[in-house]
Amino acid sequence: MQLLGIRIDNFNLEEALNKIREFLHDARQHYIVLPYADFLVQAQKDADFKRILNEADLSLSDGVGPVLASYILGGEKLKTRVMGVDLIWALFEKFGAEHSFFLFGGQEGVAQEMAQNIWQKAPEVKISGLLNGFVSDEKTIDEINDKKPEIVLVALGAPKQEKWIYDNLKKMPSVKLAIGVGGAFDFISGRTRRAPNFIQKIGIEWLWRLFIKPNQWRKTWRSVIVFSIMIFKEFFSKRKKIKNNF
């Protein structure tokens, strides 16, 4: 389906994992994007970002915003969201013993702490290497090519991580799948606490994030206020077109 000109695949987590299994066993390289409201806002003014999102092999809504918007705008409705943290844990559970991972991004030490937490819960997961997000592209690519992982998780924040993947995936021939995962490393490492389950269920993690990271208020503003304005403009535009057709 399309939302504000961005393609989003209407998959739940299990359907996404089935698609990823296909990716890992074919002869091509693939990348996945996890757009939420802020992605869609930024993409309206960044043509390269918009093109990269739309050319992704799989695009899954990481936030409740696009899901709610699909109901407001009518037409095809998104079944659910697939949060990045949940997708990563599912990847480790389904593919961690069979396919190797590389963790790239986050502050110094975050990827190491994330790996330790993963191994405590799932010691069979293959993590071939890790780097923080402040290493040069050349060194990162050299390290990935030396370790030869099949799956690379990139946590540089949007749109930097998506552009990095798009520009560099072909330079890493062992990589079958790359995914931009935003702040997921901070959550899995334990540096940032996830919202309580009831807050996740009612879709107001943005309020939780604003509380624990008030310096990210601009992202919250775009995700909540600017995105809502864009959706309602689209809604009234569609209503006007329907009215004019009668």
Side-chain angles (χ1 to χ4, degrees):
M1 66 168 293
Q2 290 274 332
L3 194 60
L4 297 179
I6 306 300
R7 192 194 96 245
I8 301 178
D9 294 304
N10 200 359
F11 288 1
N12 60 31
L13 179 58
E14 192 60 37
E15 290 167 335
L17 292 171
N18 290 336
K19 193 67 177 176
I20 289 168
R21 182 177 287 106
E22 294 176 16
F23 292 163
L24 293 172
H25 289 93
D26 68 19
R28 297 174 50 232
Q29 291 183 299
H30 303 270
Y31 71 93
I32 295 174
V33 295
L34 302 171
Y36 51 90
D38 186 42
F39 279 55
L40 275 64
V41 172
Q42 292 192 64
Q44 305 309 306
K45 295 183 178 180
D46 188 334
D48 287 338
F49 187 36
K50 186 173 185 178
R51 173 175 51 82
I52 290 167
L53 292 176
N54 282 329
E55 291 182 12
D57 297 281
L58 188 60
S59 176
L60 305 168
S61 177
D62 187 9
V64 71
V67 178
L68 293 176
S70 72
Y71 279 80
I72 292 170
L73 295 177
E76 184 179 359
K77 297 172 177 58
L78 286 171
K79 301 172 186 176
T80 186
R81 56 180 172 163
V82 179
M83 289 183 283
V85 175
D86 296 333
L87 176 63
I88 291 172
W89 279 114
L91 289 174
F92 291 142
E93 180 183 345
K94 294 282 187 179
F95 309 115
E98 181 182 358
H99 301 278
S100 59
F101 289 75
F102 193 100
L103 312 180
F104 169 47
Q107 298 288 331
E108 179 69 43
V110 170
Q112 288 88 342
E113 293 166 17
M114 174 178 169
Q116 290 301 320
N117 286 344
I118 292 162
W119 283 325
Q120 284 180 9
K121 294 185 178 181
E124 73 280 2
V125 171
K126 297 177 182 177
I127 298 176
S128 62
L130 42 84
L131 286 172
N132 68 62
F134 300 93
V135 178
S136 70
D137 289 353
E138 182 179 2
K139 181 176 179 181
T140 301
I141 293 166
D142 285 346
E143 184 73 9
I144 290 173
N145 286 335
D146 179 62
K147 300 298 185 181
K148 294 181 171 56
E150 295 165 274
I151 302 170
V152 175
L153 304 180
V154 184
L156 300 176
K160 183 178 180 180
Q161 62 196 12
E162 287 75 23
K163 293 182 178 181
W164 190 92
I165 289 169
Y166 190 86
D167 291 339
N168 294 298
L169 184 56
K170 291 181 180 178
K171 301 174 186 176
M172 304 175 291
S174 73
V175 178
K176 299 286 294 180
L177 178 65
I179 311 174
V181 297
F185 284 17
D186 289 328
F187 290 114
I188 297 176
S189 69
R191 289 204 180 186
T192 300
R193 183 183 167 191
R194 289 191 77 179
N197 286 334
F198 79 93
I199 290 180
Q200 295 181 38
K201 287 179 180 178
I202 61 178
I204 58 170
E205 291 100 327
W206 61 269
L207 188 59
W208 175 263
R209 287 193 297 269
L210 185 61
F211 175 73
I212 62 173
K213 291 187 176 181
N215 62 319
Q216 292 190 4
W217 66 269
R218 290 180 182 84
K219 181 186 291 187
T220 302
W221 173 264
R222 291 194 301 265
S223 298
V224 179
I225 306 301
V226 179
F227 180 71
S228 296
I229 291 170
M230 287 181 172
I231 292 301
F232 281 106
K233 279 185 177 180
E234 181 78 5
F235 172 77
F236 288 115
S237 176
K238 286 187 173 184
R239 288 281 300 272
K240 186 176 180 180
K241 286 179 182 178
I242 292 171
K243 185 177 180 180
N244 289 339
N245 287 334
F246 280 97

